[in-house]
Amino acid sequence: MKKIPQVMSALGAAVATALVAMAADAAVLPTTQTDSSWYQDGAAAVAAKVAQARNTGTAKNIIFFVGDGMGVSTLTAARIYQGQQAGNSGEENRLSFETFPYSALSKTYSVNQQTPDSAPTMTAMITGVKTEDGMLSVSADSIRGNCLSSQGNELKTALELAEDRGKSTGIVSTARITHATPAATYAHTPERDWEADSNLTAEAVANGCHDIAYQLVMDAPGDGLEVALGGGRSYFLPNTVTDGEGAKGRRKDGNDLTAKWSEQFTNAAYVWNQAQFDAIDVTKTDHLLGLFEASHMQYEADRADDTAGEPSLAEMTSKAIDMLAKNDKGYFLMVEGGRIDHAHHAGNAARALADTVALSDAVKAALGKVDLEDTLIIVSADHSHTFTIAGYPARGNPILGLVHEPNDEAIAVNAATADDGLPYTTLGYANGPGAKQGARSDLSGIDTTDVDFLQQAQVPMGSETHAAEDVAIYATGPGAYLFQGNVEQNVIFHVMNQAGALGGSKY
């Protein structure tokens, strides 16, 4: 990992400041207080904040991580989960990006919905303008699903601004790269579901709208994205073609966009499995397209079982940075942990938490490759979920387990019970497939830590829904200090624009 001398010396000064402060405190506070590790750690944390120097320089590089559906309760549960996987109690653990010096809360509502979907939220973050649900990087003057209404209402994205500046650009996602979050960085459409030409309406075709996959390859901004890694292979292949894992393509226009990628761009490569991905020589490849599944990539918990093999989010992030860093003008990279959201919709906390940890690992991998003197890293979410952490479990109680309350500083043997006399889990959902009509199921003999277990829910729904509370923003590097307090979600774009001197208009 690259070291920053200023940061290291600042931390040394912070420790010294904390020691001086604690020595002064000892004169007025009892030693039982000042000798406490809680007290000493807290003093050191405040001293580090005091010593923190603001980086007001220009960000040559910007890496924007998005945890799809990664609300605050998901972060809390994931940090405990990761800590417990390492053999600790878990609560004291921190995800890689939770150590960043600056943070804020982001308001996620869209122009027309109190609780949004991923299309308007990513549009807000990547263009600086909020829009209506279901639309990608077009303004709210458009009508969802109407091609003609969107023409002239396109919004320029941070990725496109970076291309205009001669920077390299890339997207990485564990979801389809035509899915809402990654698509908003490069595509403009009044309907997020127009991922292949077979999804277009007659009106869209008649008025010249292109599907999202086509826009990535054939309508690419600048000299084209240098990196696009994720799922969604079938949206790029003709419906007459069966891919290497036995799935048929979805395109009706006959275009093989994986072949077009190599034709459109110089020194281009297309890969679809782990072996091909590993074999890529970044020194000889300038444009890399990787599509590792017909639809979304595997959940992190299932990735090892994939037939053809597929890279982790951290591996894709590392490869993307190696590719993009060849450009002396810098780069813009968006990385999405896309399947956190899908696991929550399924009411499946285990997979959601594993994918959140995978995103944390990707951030850690990025930190090992960049210099924070010239690289701005932002981590946030598009929206949250109805995911709850409940009861009064003892510290160290398995986060995926039944609630066991503390008993004389140990964990009680018997699980706590609700008013219906049945045990319950720490994690649950306000709605979703884990609900059932009538009496609640008895979980006494159930392994609730099993990866396939669906947490119980209150309101029965086939798919658990998004939630509307604020989500967190974490930042480090040039301009990171601009994130403080509670902000509208579209402010994220404006920090990137100003910190990275991307060329969008400023006040």
Side-chain angles (χ1 to χ4, degrees), residues 136-137 171 176-188 212 334:
L136 298 173
S137 296
I171 57 170
R176 298 190 295 267
I177 58 173
T178 51
H179 212 236
T181 300
T185 65
Y186 62 83
H188 304 271
I212 294 169
M334 191 287 300

Side-chain angles (χ1 to χ4, degrees), residues 291-458:
L291 301 172
F292 303 103
E293 284 288 343
S295 185
H296 303 300
M297 291 182 68
Q298 297 288 336
Y299 289 111
E300 178 60 23
D302 307 315
R303 186 171 58 83
D305 299 326
D306 182 63
T307 305
E310 59 187 52
S312 68
L313 188 60
E315 289 172 327
M316 292 191 291
T317 300
S318 294
K319 183 85 76 176
I321 293 173
D322 290 342
M323 289 276 299
L324 301 177
K326 295 188 297 179
N327 188 340
D328 291 338
K329 293 182 179 179
Y331 59 82
F332 175 89
L333 172 64
M334 191 287 300
V335 179
E336 182 199 25
R339 305 225 62 194
I340 301 167
D341 176 69
H342 302 157
H344 277 322
H345 280 306
N348 183 198
R351 286 186 171 88
L353 301 187
D355 270 56
T356 304
V357 171
L359 180 68
S360 174
D361 290 342
V363 175
K364 183 178 180 180
L367 288 169
K369 286 184 169 289
V370 304
D371 185 342
L372 292 177
E373 279 296 303
D374 65 6
T375 303
L376 171 63
I377 300 180
I378 301 169
V379 182
S380 192
D382 46 358
H383 54 76
S384 68
H385 278 267
T386 70
F387 182 57
T388 61
I389 305 174
Y392 298 98
R395 184 175 176 188
N397 194 71
I399 192 65
L400 293 170
L402 298 173
V403 170
H404 289 257
E405 297 178 351
N407 180 16
D408 291 331
E409 298 187 2
I411 298 177
V413 175
N414 296 321
T417 56
D419 287 350
D420 60 5
L422 300 176
Y424 58 96
T425 56
T426 302
L427 304 179
Y429 294 91
N431 60 48
K436 59 176 292 186
Q437 302 289 350
R440 215 164 48 89
S441 298
D442 186 352
L443 300 177
S444 299
I446 304 297
D447 180 8
T448 63
T449 67
D450 186 87
V451 71
D452 292 321
F453 177 76
L454 302 187
Q455 273 63 33
Q456 292 182 331
Q458 176 65 28

Side-chain angles (χ1 to χ4, degrees), residues 101-305:
Y102 298 100
S103 60
L105 290 174
S106 171
K107 297 163 68 176
T108 65
Y109 68 92
S110 69
V111 168
N112 67 325
Q113 288 191 196
Q114 194 173 74
T115 302
D117 76 19
S118 297
T121 50
M122 188 59 182
T123 295
M125 294 189 287
I126 206 69
T127 72
V129 177
K130 291 203 176 197
T131 192
E132 295 191 356
D133 276 53
M135 303 194 296
L136 298 173
S137 296
V138 296
S139 76
D141 291 329
S142 308
I143 301 170
R144 181 173 184 177
N146 183 279
C147 170
L148 187 61
S149 72
S150 69
Q151 294 174 356
N153 289 316
E154 297 86 356
L155 303 169
K156 197 143 194 172
T157 73
L159 183 147
E160 291 171 320
L161 287 170
E163 280 286 335
D164 290 347
R165 289 293 197 187
K167 294 177 182 285
S168 292
T169 60
I171 57 170
V172 172
S173 179
T174 51
R176 298 190 295 267
I177 58 173
T178 51
H179 212 236
T181 300
T185 65
Y186 62 83
H188 304 271
T189 177
E191 178 49 68
R192 60 174 289 178
D193 293 334
W194 291 351
E195 296 184 55
D197 68 308
S198 56
N199 301 126
L200 295 172
T201 62
E203 184 273 336
V205 174
N207 285 304
C209 276
H210 294 154
D211 63 90
I212 294 169
Y214 187 95
Q215 289 187 53
L216 174 64
V217 179
M218 306 304 291
D219 297 337
D223 63 351
L225 278 69
E226 278 67 31
V227 179
L229 302 172
R233 190 166 56 229
S234 64
Y235 295 81
F236 292 78
L237 297 175
N239 56 15
T240 56
V241 171
T242 300
D243 70 20
E245 292 184 296
K248 295 202 70 173
R250 294 172 178 266
R251 303 196 65 81
K252 297 193 302 183
D253 59 9
N255 278 321
D256 181 344
L257 294 177
T258 64
K260 294 285 187 185
W261 174 273
S262 297
E263 296 169 8
Q264 282 282 103
F265 309 119
T266 56
N267 298 323
Y270 163 65
V271 298
W272 64 271
N273 60 44
Q274 180 82 55
Q276 293 174 348
F277 173 83
D278 292 341
I280 286 292
D281 183 346
V282 299
T283 65
K284 298 178 180 178
T285 308
D286 294 330
H287 294 269
L288 176 61
L289 174 65
L291 301 172
F292 303 103
E293 284 288 343
S295 185
H296 303 300
M297 291 182 68
Q298 297 288 336
Y299 289 111
E300 178 60 23
D302 307 315
R303 186 171 58 83
D305 299 326

